[in-house]
């Protein structure tokens, strides 16, 4: 009987993890370039049930094979891993010259500005850029956007960007956006703020990626779908909760009524 309690408990844990994941996706539904996460669920190893003593003959004597297989028993579920959906979001026109959107599978590269690792970089699909007080093109006011020659200093927002990433300021091409692609997107890891890190050497120069100035890529979160999933998850959570309550009532009767000595 307790196996049912354990299975229902793991089911509730899984549904709670789904609620947390859906909540995070919905909270970032308006974050430029955000990629939603999905949970992969797996079951615990199944157990083989065997009837102890096995079937008996009509005369009551046991058969030569005293064990009989009843079947397998599931023991619950757990979150196997979290995967990121890299499907591109729609491009939203803003008219802001510092906003740059990616078309294709590529990523922008920004500096991590880490003193312990000055060469560390992040990858992002968010092109919601700003020009800082020193004239550098930045993401979130902290991470400087990198070009082929290093950090890009545009001076002001009076610049244009070609589809290939070339940046023209005052009639002179000052640099070209560093755009990269990955053969295996599963090699990327989320770091927050729309940033990703990758395995060293896994990136390659973008070949099928272009950019558009004056637009940003929206998140790929569909709020309606997430709400529908949330309702389904909550119902599954409540079902597991009711199972635990029923088991509790049965155990209470077994202990206090059936098992009592009178």
């Amino acid at each position: 009987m307790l196996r049912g309690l354990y299975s229902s408990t793991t089911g509730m844990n899984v549904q709670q993890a789904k609620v947390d994941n859906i909540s995070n996706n919905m909270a970032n539904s308006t974050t430029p370039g955000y990629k939603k996460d999905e949970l992969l669920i797996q079951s615990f190893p199944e157990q083989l049930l065997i009837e102890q003593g096995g079937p008996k003959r009509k005369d009551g004597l046991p058969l030569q094979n005293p064990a009989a297989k009843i079947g397998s028993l599931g023991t619950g579920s757990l979150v196997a891993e979290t995967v990121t959906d890299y499907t591109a979001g729609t491009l939203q026109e803003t008219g802001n010259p510092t906003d740059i959107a990616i078309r294709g599978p590529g990523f922008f590269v920004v500096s991590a500005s880490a003193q312990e690792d000055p060469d560390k970089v992040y990858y992002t699909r968010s092109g919601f850029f700003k020009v800082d007080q020193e004239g550098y093109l930045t993401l979130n006011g902290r991470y400087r956007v990198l070009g082929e020659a290093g950090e890009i200093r545009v001076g002001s927002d009076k610049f244009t960007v070609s589809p290939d990433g070339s940046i023209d300021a005052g009639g002179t091409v000052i640099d070209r956006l560093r755009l990269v692609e990955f053969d295996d997107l599963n090699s990327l890891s989320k770091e927050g703020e729309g940033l990703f890190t990758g395995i060293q050497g896994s990136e390659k120069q973008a070949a099928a990626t272009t950019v558009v100035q004056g637009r940003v890529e929206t998140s790929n979160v569909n709020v309606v779908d997430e709400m529908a999933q949330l309702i389904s998850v909550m119902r599954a959570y409540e079902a597991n909760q009711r199972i635990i309550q029923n088991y509790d009532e049965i155990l209470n009767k077994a202990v206090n009524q059936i098992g009592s000595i009178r």
Side-chain angles (χ1 to χ4, degrees):
M1 184 181 295
L2 292 179
R3 293 193 186 100
L5 286 174
Y6 297 143
S7 297
S8 298
T9 301
T10 59
M12 290 178 67
N13 290 338
V14 166
Q15 302 309 319
Q16 182 61 56
K18 286 185 176 181
V19 169
D20 295 340
N21 182 70
I22 292 172
S23 300
N24 184 62
N25 286 338
M26 294 182 66
N28 287 279
S29 61
T30 58
T31 302
Y34 176 80
K35 302 304 174 188
K36 67 178 182 179
D37 290 327
E38 297 178 352
L39 301 184
L40 297 183
I41 310 302
Q42 72 178 38
S43 61
F44 284 116
E46 293 185 344
Q47 297 178 350
L48 178 63
L49 296 184
I50 298 177
E51 180 184 358
Q52 296 296 324
K56 298 181 182 298
R57 300 184 307 190
K58 292 183 179 180
D59 56 10
L61 297 176
L63 298 175
Q64 292 183 352
N65 182 11
K69 295 180 181 179
I70 297 176
S72 59
L73 172 70
T75 55
S77 57
L78 75 161
V79 177
E81 63 176 316
T82 302
V83 297
T84 302
D85 181 0
Y86 290 97
T87 303
T90 59
L91 301 189
Q92 180 179 2
E93 187 171 357
T94 64
N96 190 339
T98 60
D99 292 337
I100 305 172
I102 285 181
R103 280 180 174 163
F107 290 78
F108 297 110
V109 185
V110 298
S111 63
S113 301
Q115 295 181 354
E116 65 277 6
D117 189 2
D119 296 327
K120 185 177 182 180
V121 297
Y122 290 126
Y123 309 101
T124 183
R125 292 279 299 189
S126 175
F128 191 60
F129 300 143
K130 300 291 183 182
V131 179
D132 65 10
Q133 295 180 349
E134 298 180 46
Y136 288 95
L137 196 62
T138 64
L139 174 67
N140 300 337
R142 296 175 53 194
Y143 310 100
R144 289 180 176 177
V145 182
L146 296 180
E148 295 180 346
E151 297 175 348
I152 301 176
R153 191 174 188 277
V154 292
S156 67
D157 61 0
K158 306 300 182 183
F159 65 90
T160 58
V161 182
S162 302
D164 66 350
S166 298
I167 299 177
D168 186 304
T172 303
V173 176
I174 58 175
D175 204 345
R176 181 180 176 186
L177 287 167
R178 181 178 168 187
L179 303 172
V180 299
E181 297 174 1
F182 297 87
D183 291 327
D184 182 15
L185 291 174
N186 292 324
S187 64
L188 295 175
S189 301
K190 273 190 173 182
E191 295 292 331
E193 299 184 85
L195 303 173
F196 298 86
T197 56
I199 300 173
Q200 186 175 6
S202 61
E203 68 175 61
K204 64 179 182 180
Q205 186 175 358
T209 299
T210 58
V211 296
V212 183
Q213 188 176 16
R215 297 185 182 183
V216 292
E217 179 185 351
T218 62
S219 73
N220 62 354
V221 177
N222 187 314
V223 177
V224 176
D225 289 345
E226 297 296 318
M227 284 296 297
Q229 289 185 39
L230 183 60
I231 294 172
S232 177
V233 167
M234 291 304 298
R235 287 177 177 172
Y237 186 93
E238 291 171 356
N240 281 285
Q241 191 177 41
R242 286 194 295 270
I243 291 173
I244 291 178
Q245 291 173 345
N246 290 336
Y247 271 113
D248 182 63
E249 293 175 2
I250 294 172
L251 288 171
N252 179 60
K253 290 182 179 180
V255 172
N256 296 311
Q257 297 181 21
I258 301 174
S260 63
I261 299 177
R262 296 182 180 178

